[in-house]
Amino acid sequence: MSGRLSPPLPWIPLRRLLRLVLGLQVAAVVGLIVVFSHASAWPFLGVLSLGVLVLSLGLGAMAVNRLLQSLQTLKATAQTVPQTPCSPPQNRALTTHEERWREFLDAIPLGIVVYDRGGQMVFASTEARQLLGLDHLGLDDLASRPPLGLADTFTAHSVDGGCPYPLEALPITQSLRGEKAWADDIVLQRGDQKIPIEMASTPIFDGAGQVEFAVAACQDLSTHRQAQQVLTDYSHTLEAMVAQRTHALEQAQITQRVILQAIPDLLIRYNRDGVCLDILSEGSVALLASPHTQIGRALTEVLPPAMAAERLRYIHLTLETGQPQQYEYRFETPKGWRHEEARLVVSGEDEVLVIVRDITERKQAEAALASQKQFLQNVIDSIPSIIVVKDRQNRIQIANRASAALHGMTPDTMLGQRDVEMNPNVSAAEADDSHRINQWVMETQEPYQSEQEIADVHGVSRWYQVLVNPFRDRAGNVNGVVGNCIDITDRKQMETELQAANEKLERLATLDGLTQIPNRRRFDEYLQQEWQRLVREQRPLSLILFDVDYFKPYNDHFGHQQGDEGLIAIAQAANQAVKRSVDLLARYGGEEFGVILPNTSRSGAENVAKAIQREVAALKLPHPKSEVNDYLTVSMGIASVVPNPEQALEELIAAADAALYQAKRRGRNRYWIRLI
């Protein structure tokens, strides 16, 4: 410049002007760092800081000619901080960085909350809002809503007894008092749902040693218990970070490190080419190479070739689809096989975050469980009876070879299916009955037993003894049934044959061997049975006793063989006259017969007697020795009564016998009725 500028603001001494410029710049930088660290918590402070920065730069430009060479260095240093407060690229960079951290914090399966020294919430991750019941708030609502304190955000109870958890005992409250704290006896109340959580918190101090913020990490203990040891070690990382950054920047970095250290996973950032950009957290995963040797190097230089190629493929897939990816892999180490699970999410332009978790113990447990299941399968396969375990929807969870043979399948192919889906010979009604029985067993927790005929897939039926018992899981909850079907076809066949033999013996024991009609034993049993029944019902009972007239002369004349044939013919003829199934014709003794007529009055019995006479007369069996007819005839006695408890059965028999005697005395070949 050829001209000479007049000193700006001549009434202000140069030293004071420089101090003013320097003070304004420092205040603006500190304000921007605070805003950068806490996003939308103080938007007014951000605008004010940018304005102060513009003012300080303007004053610095006006005083440029008055500065010495050392002040030129100060100006150059000041110009390294953001120079244009309203620059859209800078705003976008800040916003993009903030959004990336929010996306990263929301991808972590922990709840992260930050409270200021006044006990007001200034940040809550997505997981934290869900745990605390604040998921109705948006990402930016914490700044726009009235301040939320601990009493507004923590509805907590103690594990012991369910009493309200004292706010002053919460770890976050203790951290606001300058203490590091941890607790695992907190239960959050979400409507009817109770969620046990573990909370670890730490204070963040300002330059004066005063608590400025408290940061807490919360974990749902019902699904996660891995972070406890890591949470106790995070203070070392905080102290290391404090020594490397300015006070405000250190606080932001410490908060980030606390979050990362609370995660048991290895967190690595890669670019599209597979070059390691950063290792955010080692977690509890044993690295194949030390962290400082991996940063800046490609996957192929650190990992085995196959593992590197697979990870690079998933990096490209994640960047191309924009969707999280997950896969499992294993590799051999001097200590044996190690299993890991990797999850990949987009963390920036052409960048991915890889979250690696050691799942060796889980895989070993799965292998042990598979071995145990195979042992159980071998055991139940050796049992010849059918064994199945069904869930509440009647779907098969466990099956043995015997059950699979019934349906023409293998045990594995039966899993998840219902009986009607495997065997066309199982009807819908049978399936409904089975489901109803299973539900009853699960509800009552009582066993069920029956004998059923079951058809296999080929339609061949066999008899089984079915035993159904409740099936309990490790917690003792009944979530299904175990069925055991024992083949009893041979036993059932023997029982059927035995029953038929018994029935035959019973018939032989109650049938007359000559006439093949019921004998005197059956006559006495049936008469006693009907007498007792009709005493209760007060209905009539009739009895007919009849015998063949002059049978002894007939037998002597024709011989015993023809005499027996004559009795057989008389029995068959009388049986034709006794029509009803409830009526009983029996051989009473020798040539004498009896007819029991339940629910029959005197007139009804008289009709039966006439029918017997007609059927016998129709036989026309010659009887040359008879004194009343040229053919065989019968004489009958009829008695009828409505039984009552004061009477004896023998009275009815005596009355019928007396009537028979009267029929014979009055000339035979007739009937006589006797009233009681």
Side-chain angles (χ1 to χ4, degrees), residues 514 551 554-555 558-569 632:
L514 177 65
F551 182 73
Y554 179 87
N555 203 36
F558 290 105
H560 290 292
Q561 179 67 35
Q562 190 166 339
D564 288 346
E565 291 176 358
L567 290 177
I568 293 172
L632 275 179

Side-chain angles (χ1 to χ4, degrees), residues 407-618:
H407 301 294
M409 306 176 72
T410 64
D412 289 341
T413 56
M414 290 177 63
L415 302 183
Q417 299 199 55
R418 297 187 177 96
D419 292 340
V420 292
E421 298 170 347
M422 300 180 294
N423 191 340
N425 296 312
V426 177
S427 66
E430 290 172 331
D432 290 342
D433 288 342
S434 175
H435 182 67
R436 184 165 51 253
I437 291 169
N438 294 346
Q439 293 298 319
W440 181 86
V441 170
M442 287 185 286
E443 291 172 3
T444 63
Q445 299 188 20
E446 295 290 336
Y448 170 85
Q449 180 173 340
S450 68
E451 293 182 356
Q452 298 178 15
E453 190 175 15
I454 302 175
D456 64 15
V457 70
H458 304 295
V460 178
S461 295
R462 297 186 68 85
W463 279 94
Y464 294 89
Q465 181 181 16
V466 179
L467 305 172
V468 183
N469 287 280
F471 185 75
R472 292 178 171 85
D473 58 19
R474 292 183 178 180
N477 300 317
V478 176
N479 292 319
V481 296
V482 54
N484 185 9
C485 301
I486 303 172
D487 192 331
I488 58 171
T489 303
D490 294 341
R491 191 198 79 188
K492 201 71 175 177
Q493 184 175 356
M494 293 177 60
E495 289 177 353
T496 302
E497 293 173 355
L498 180 60
Q499 182 179 0
N502 289 334
E503 290 175 354
K504 183 177 181 179
L505 289 174
E506 182 68 22
R507 286 195 304 271
L508 293 174
T510 59
L511 285 179
D512 178 60
L514 177 65
T515 61
Q516 292 301 300
I517 63 174
N519 59 14
R520 176 64 180 270
R521 174 185 171 187
R522 179 57 180 157
F523 176 89
D524 292 340
E525 290 176 351
Y526 192 66
L527 185 59
Q528 180 70 32
Q529 169 189 318
E530 292 304 301
W531 177 272
Q532 293 175 353
R533 181 176 69 85
L534 295 172
V535 165
R536 296 191 301 270
E537 298 179 4
Q538 283 298 285
R539 302 291 300 278
L541 174 63
S542 295
L543 176 64
I544 300 175
L545 294 179
F546 69 92
D547 63 7
V548 182
D549 294 330
Y550 300 109
F551 182 73
K552 187 177 184 307
Y554 179 87
N555 203 36
D556 292 342
H557 178 75
F558 290 105
H560 290 292
Q561 179 67 35
Q562 190 166 339
D564 288 346
E565 291 176 358
L567 290 177
I568 293 172
I570 292 292
Q572 292 175 348
N575 204 34
Q576 293 294 323
V578 179
K579 302 292 187 182
R580 299 185 311 171
S581 61
V582 295
D583 298 337
L584 179 72
L585 169 67
R587 187 179 182 187
Y588 197 67
E591 70 274 16
E592 190 174 4
F593 299 86
V595 182
I596 302 172
L597 302 169
N599 295 320
T600 304
S601 63
R602 178 184 59 80
S603 60
E606 187 176 1
N607 291 333
V608 174
K610 291 177 181 179
I612 294 173
Q613 282 184 320
R614 288 194 300 271
E615 294 292 339
V616 172

Side-chain angles (χ1 to χ4, degrees), residues 170-186:
L170 285 172
I172 195 70
T173 305
Q174 299 178 46
S175 294
L176 290 173
R177 295 196 297 263
E179 305 171 3
K180 297 177 183 178
W182 172 85
D184 63 352
D185 59 346
I186 304 173

Side-chain angles (χ1 to χ4, degrees), residues 183-488:
D184 63 352
D185 59 346
I186 304 173
V187 175
L188 297 179
Q189 189 73 34
R190 294 281 306 279
D192 295 336
Q193 184 182 10
K194 294 183 178 180
I195 305 174
I197 68 166
E198 176 187 48
M199 177 187 291
S201 66
T202 186
I204 298 179
F205 301 94
D206 59 14
Q210 300 296 318
V211 174
E212 187 169 2
F213 298 102
V215 181
C218 305
Q219 179 172 246
D220 187 343
L221 288 182
S222 60
T223 55
H224 298 285
R225 292 184 176 274
Q226 300 95 342
Q228 293 181 352
Q229 183 60 41
V230 179
L231 289 172
T232 60
D233 300 331
Y234 72 97
S235 59
H236 300 297
T237 304
L238 290 175
E239 294 171 359
M241 297 292 292
V242 169
Q244 299 173 7
R245 310 288 183 184
T246 63
H247 180 67
L249 183 58
E250 287 169 354
Q251 291 179 351
Q253 294 297 326
I254 290 171
T255 303
Q256 297 168 7
R257 289 298 179 182
V258 169
I259 296 170
L260 295 176
Q261 290 296 325
I263 303 172
D265 304 328
L266 169 66
L267 305 178
I268 309 179
R269 289 174 50 238
Y270 291 102
N271 64 13
R272 179 180 292 274
D273 298 326
V275 175
C276 177
L277 302 177
D278 191 13
I279 297 181
L280 303 177
S281 172
E282 298 179 34
S284 57
V285 177
L287 299 178
L288 295 178
S290 60
H292 70 275
T293 61
Q294 293 193 48
I295 298 176
R297 297 174 64 187
L299 283 168
T300 53
E301 302 177 55
V302 178
L303 301 180
M307 187 187 304
E310 184 178 34
R311 180 161 297 178
L312 187 60
R313 180 170 65 86
Y314 275 98
I315 289 174
H316 293 164
L317 184 61
T318 303
L319 291 173
E320 290 167 3
T321 63
Q323 299 297 321
Q325 303 295 325
Q326 180 175 330
Y327 70 101
E328 295 180 1
Y329 55 93
R330 71 170 190 164
F331 54 94
E332 193 170 12
T333 69
K335 296 183 179 180
W337 286 97
R338 200 168 91 198
H339 298 260
E340 292 181 348
E341 174 190 80
R343 290 192 300 163
L344 295 84
V345 295
V346 177
S347 61
E349 185 175 355
D350 278 350
E351 293 181 8
V352 298
L353 174 68
V354 180
I355 306 171
V356 179
R357 173 169 296 183
D358 190 334
I359 58 172
T360 303
E361 292 185 1
R362 191 190 81 189
K363 285 296 184 180
Q364 291 172 345
E366 290 176 355
L369 179 60
S371 176
Q372 184 179 13
K373 288 179 65 176
Q374 186 59 50
F375 175 77
L376 174 62
Q377 188 67 47
N378 293 340
V379 170
I380 65 174
D381 281 344
S382 67
I383 299 174
S385 62
I386 294 173
I387 296 178
V388 292
V389 176
K390 297 181 179 179
D391 61 15
R392 288 189 172 274
Q393 286 71 44
N394 231 31
R395 294 191 179 277
I396 294 176
Q397 304 300 306
I398 300 175
N400 69 345
R401 289 180 182 174
S403 64
L406 180 71
H407 301 294
M409 306 176 72
T410 64
D412 289 341
T413 56
M414 290 177 63
L415 302 183
Q417 299 199 55
R418 297 187 177 96
D419 292 340
V420 292
E421 298 170 347
M422 300 180 294
N423 191 340
N425 296 312
V426 177
S427 66
E430 290 172 331
D432 290 342
D433 288 342
S434 175
H435 182 67
R436 184 165 51 253
I437 291 169
N438 294 346
Q439 293 298 319
W440 181 86
V441 170
M442 287 185 286
E443 291 172 3
T444 63
Q445 299 188 20
E446 295 290 336
Y448 170 85
Q449 180 173 340
S450 68
E451 293 182 356
Q452 298 178 15
E453 190 175 15
I454 302 175
D456 64 15
V457 70
H458 304 295
V460 178
S461 295
R462 297 186 68 85
W463 279 94
Y464 294 89
Q465 181 181 16
V466 179
L467 305 172
V468 183
N469 287 280
F471 185 75
R472 292 178 171 85
D473 58 19
R474 292 183 178 180
N477 300 317
V478 176
N479 292 319
V481 296
V482 54
N484 185 9
C485 301
I486 303 172
D487 192 331
I488 58 171

Side-chain angles (χ1 to χ4, degrees), residues 32-173:
L32 287 175
I33 291 175
V34 172
V35 173
F36 178 79
S37 301
H38 302 285
S40 59
W42 296 288
F44 175 76
L45 179 59
V47 174
L48 180 61
S49 299
L50 291 174
V52 170
L53 182 60
V54 171
L55 178 60
S56 66
L57 293 176
L59 291 176
M62 294 172 61
V64 65
N65 291 328
R66 298 174 61 185
L67 296 177
L68 299 175
Q69 186 63 38
S70 60
L71 294 183
Q72 292 295 335
T73 302
L74 178 60
K75 176 182 177 183
T77 301
Q79 288 176 344
T80 63
V81 300
Q83 298 292 315
T84 310
C86 297
S87 171
Q90 184 185 39
N91 290 337
R92 284 196 301 270
L94 291 174
T95 303
T96 300
H97 187 77
E98 174 189 351
E99 289 175 351
R100 288 178 183 174
W101 272 109
R102 285 186 179 275
E103 291 174 359
F104 170 68
L105 293 179
D106 287 340
I108 297 174
L110 291 173
I112 307 300
V113 291
V114 181
Y115 289 82
D116 63 15
R117 68 181 64 181
Q120 305 299 321
M121 179 182 285
V122 297
F123 174 78
S125 68
T126 299
E127 181 73 14
R129 292 197 299 275
Q130 292 177 351
L131 283 175
L132 299 176
L134 304 175
D135 46 2
H136 59 283
L137 298 177
L139 292 175
D140 299 324
D141 284 351
L142 291 177
S144 60
R145 293 175 59 89
L148 296 175
L150 284 173
D152 304 316
T153 54
F154 272 89
T155 304
H157 296 79
S158 300
V159 172
D160 300 332
C163 299
Y165 203 97
L167 290 178
E168 61 273 9
L170 285 172
I172 195 70
T173 305

Side-chain angles (χ1 to χ4, degrees), residues 1-12 14 17 59-67:
M1 297 178 63
S2 59
R4 181 182 179 87
L5 295 175
S6 60
L9 305 178
W11 61 89
I12 300 178
L14 178 60
L17 179 60
L59 291 176
M62 294 172 61
V64 65
N65 291 328
R66 298 174 61 185
L67 296 177

